[in-house]
């Protein structure tokens, strides 16, 4: 990675794909800009939006329409897929990663695909696009830029499947906790899990709708192969969206189960409090009677502590018998 290259500022990596060759050619970070726009085949250029010079570079090396350039240089956090002037551009959802671990934080990948170049930009490192990079370095099967775009979405779908399995395991643990002896007194991780699943489902539905709309374009309005790729990607994302929706429903039902237990738990606490009040009321009357500041009280001349304790114990026993007789205990 070379984010301070004077020739290609903001460059994360760049590859040249030549049809008929089994491997792509990596473009060095210190190469000139002419190496990006000239030569045989087509180019994948991946840039970092953290470099303020990236927008100027995109305008210099590409003949993309202004709408596509605006998409590549934006910091939008909403999924989008648009077709304009034979170029497909938009924003896809992905997951951020750090140097030593992957996260569940949602990130955003901006892209623009034409018949000669595919440009992707991001603010933070992303999980799926790094896997695509590793795959094309081993052996590329991308004859067109749209094939690489399809690889990006397919890799995101695989990442989603892995995440759904992880969230399912977490939800299983929470269910065991809720239906166990601990009840609902703790809800470890349920709120973050529901928030993640709801956001994923929302973004997936948006991407699916946009893919279908873009796939309905005329063939001469999109890069070659995009309509067929959009149909395949829609089927893939539809399948994983059903899994995400099922997970969302499980989390919702679990939350409702927890909410339904709260009134029962509250009633149980009130029941215990009422019993404590019933048991302590007679002793309170006894102690209040002996604590009155009046004359001629019984046992005032001698030691009345023993008698008071006996009366308290007798009153508590009588209260227990009465509660047992009327069926409260």
């Amino acid at each position: 990675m070379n984010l301070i290259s004077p020739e290609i500022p903001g460059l994360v990596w760049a590859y040249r794909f030549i049809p008929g060759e089994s491997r792509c050619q990596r473009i060095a970070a210190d190469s000139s800009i002419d190496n990006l726009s000239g030569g045989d085949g087509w180019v994948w250029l991946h840039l970092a939006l953290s470099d303020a010079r990236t927008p100027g570079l995109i305008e210099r090396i590409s003949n993309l329409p202004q709408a596509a350039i605006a998409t590549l240089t934006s910091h939008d956090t909403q999924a989008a897929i648009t077709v304009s002037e034979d170029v497909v551009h938009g924003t896809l959802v992905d997951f951020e990663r750090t140097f030593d671990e992957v996260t569940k934080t949602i990130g955003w990948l901006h892209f623009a695909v034409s018949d000669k170049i595919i440009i992707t930009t991001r603010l933070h490192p992303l999980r799926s696009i790094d896997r695509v990079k590793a795959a094309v370095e081993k052996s590329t099967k991308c004859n067109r830029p749209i094939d690489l775009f399809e690889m990006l979405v397919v890799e995101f779908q695989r990442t989603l499947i892995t995440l759904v399995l992880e969230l399912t395991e977490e939800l299983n643990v929470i269910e065991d906790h809720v239906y166990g002896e601990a009840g609902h007194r703790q809800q470890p991780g349920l709120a973050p899990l529901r928030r993640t699943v709801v956001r994923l489902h929302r973004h997936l539905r948006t991407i699916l709708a946009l893919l279908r709309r873009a796939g309905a374009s005329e063939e001469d309005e999109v890069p070659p192969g995009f309509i067929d790729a959009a149909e395949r990607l829609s089927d893939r994302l539809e399948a994983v969206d059903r899994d995400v929706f099922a997970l969302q429903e499980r989390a919702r039902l679990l939350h409702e189960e927890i909410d339904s237990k709260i009134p029962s738990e509250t009633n149980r606490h009130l029941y215990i409090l009422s019993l404590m009040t019933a048991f302590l009321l007679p002793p309170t009357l006894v102690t209040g009677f002996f604590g009155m500041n009046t004359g001629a009280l019984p046992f005032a001349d001698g030691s009345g502590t023993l008698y008071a304790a006996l009366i308290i114990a007798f009153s508590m026993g009588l209260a227990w018998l009465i509660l047992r007789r009327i069926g409260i205990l």
Side-chain angles (χ1 to χ4, degrees):
M1 181 185 300
N2 185 4
L3 300 183
I4 58 174
S5 171
E7 292 293 334
I8 312 177
L11 176 67
V12 182
W13 64 69
Y15 292 94
R16 180 175 300 281
F17 297 79
I18 299 177
E21 295 189 5
S22 60
R23 290 183 178 273
C24 56
Q25 301 174 1
R26 181 155 189 169
I27 300 175
D30 56 355
S31 300
S32 64
I33 295 180
D34 295 336
N35 289 339
L36 298 177
S37 56
D40 298 331
W42 54 275
V43 173
W44 175 24
L45 183 62
H46 186 52
L47 302 171
L49 291 176
S50 55
D51 194 318
R53 299 169 297 173
T54 299
L57 173 67
I58 295 175
E59 293 181 356
R60 291 176 60 189
I61 65 176
S62 65
N63 296 321
L64 298 175
Q66 287 299 318
I69 295 176
T71 298
L72 290 172
T73 57
S74 69
H75 292 77
D76 291 341
T77 56
Q78 294 293 333
I81 299 177
T82 307
V83 178
S84 60
E85 301 181 24
D86 296 336
V87 175
V88 179
H89 59 90
T91 303
L92 296 176
V93 63
D94 203 340
F95 298 97
E96 296 180 4
R97 66 164 184 84
T98 59
F99 289 104
D100 56 349
E101 64 178 358
V102 295
T103 69
K104 296 177 184 176
T105 303
I106 292 180
W108 301 95
L109 177 70
H110 310 283
F111 70 92
V113 185
S114 67
D115 58 344
K116 289 294 183 180
I117 191 171
I118 174 171
I119 301 178
T120 54
T121 62
R122 50 76 170 165
L123 186 61
H124 302 287
L126 302 174
R127 187 191 307 189
S128 300
I129 198 167
D130 286 348
R131 293 180 178 176
V132 174
K133 169 181 175 288
V136 299
E137 284 183 341
K138 292 180 180 179
S139 176
T140 178
K141 298 180 181 179
C142 302
N143 296 320
R144 302 167 298 180
I146 202 64
D147 296 333
L148 182 60
F149 169 75
E150 186 174 0
M151 282 185 64
L152 290 173
V153 181
V154 168
E155 192 59 47
F156 167 68
Q157 183 237 3
R158 292 172 180 168
T159 303
L160 269 182
I161 293 175
T162 303
L163 183 62
V164 167
L165 294 177
E166 295 175 0
L167 294 176
T168 300
E169 291 297 327
E170 293 182 13
L171 191 60
N172 291 340
V173 173
I174 296 174
E175 283 182 343
D176 293 339
H177 180 85
V178 169
Y179 291 107
E181 296 180 357
H184 76 281
R185 288 188 288 274
Q186 294 181 356
Q187 305 174 25
L190 181 59
L193 186 148
R194 290 192 69 199
R195 184 166 54 250
T196 300
V197 172
V198 168
R199 292 183 66 189
L200 284 179
H201 180 63
R202 181 174 70 248
H203 294 314
L204 270 175
R205 297 308 305 175
T206 302
I207 292 175
L208 278 169
L210 293 171
L211 268 177
R212 293 192 180 103
R213 186 177 66 181
S217 305
E218 298 294 335
E219 292 189 2
D220 56 351
E221 297 177 351
V222 295
F226 175 76
I227 295 179
D228 294 336
E231 293 178 357
R232 292 191 295 268
L233 293 175
S234 297
D235 294 338
R236 281 177 170 270
L237 293 179
E238 184 71 37
V240 72
D241 182 63
R242 288 194 293 267
D243 295 336
V244 173
F245 179 73
L247 193 62
Q248 179 184 358
E249 286 298 302
R250 283 187 60 193
R252 181 183 62 82
L253 292 175
L254 184 59
H255 184 77
E256 292 179 354
E257 177 67 21
I258 294 174
D259 288 344
S260 67
K261 287 187 175 183
I262 291 178
S264 299
E265 189 74 9
T266 302
N267 293 334
R268 190 174 69 87
H269 291 163
L270 292 175
Y271 173 74
I272 295 174
L273 183 61
S274 300
L275 291 180
M276 293 178 61
T277 303
F279 279 118
L280 294 178
L281 183 59
T284 302
L285 295 176
V286 174
T287 55
F289 174 77
F290 283 101
M292 289 189 299
N293 190 18
T294 57
L297 289 174
F299 316 119
D301 296 334
S303 177
T305 303
L306 177 62
Y307 295 103
L310 292 175
I311 295 174
I312 289 174
F314 175 77
S315 62
M316 292 181 66
L318 182 62
W320 182 82
L321 288 174
I322 294 174
L323 294 174
R324 186 68 179 270
R325 177 61 64 88
I326 63 179
I328 295 179
L329 291 177

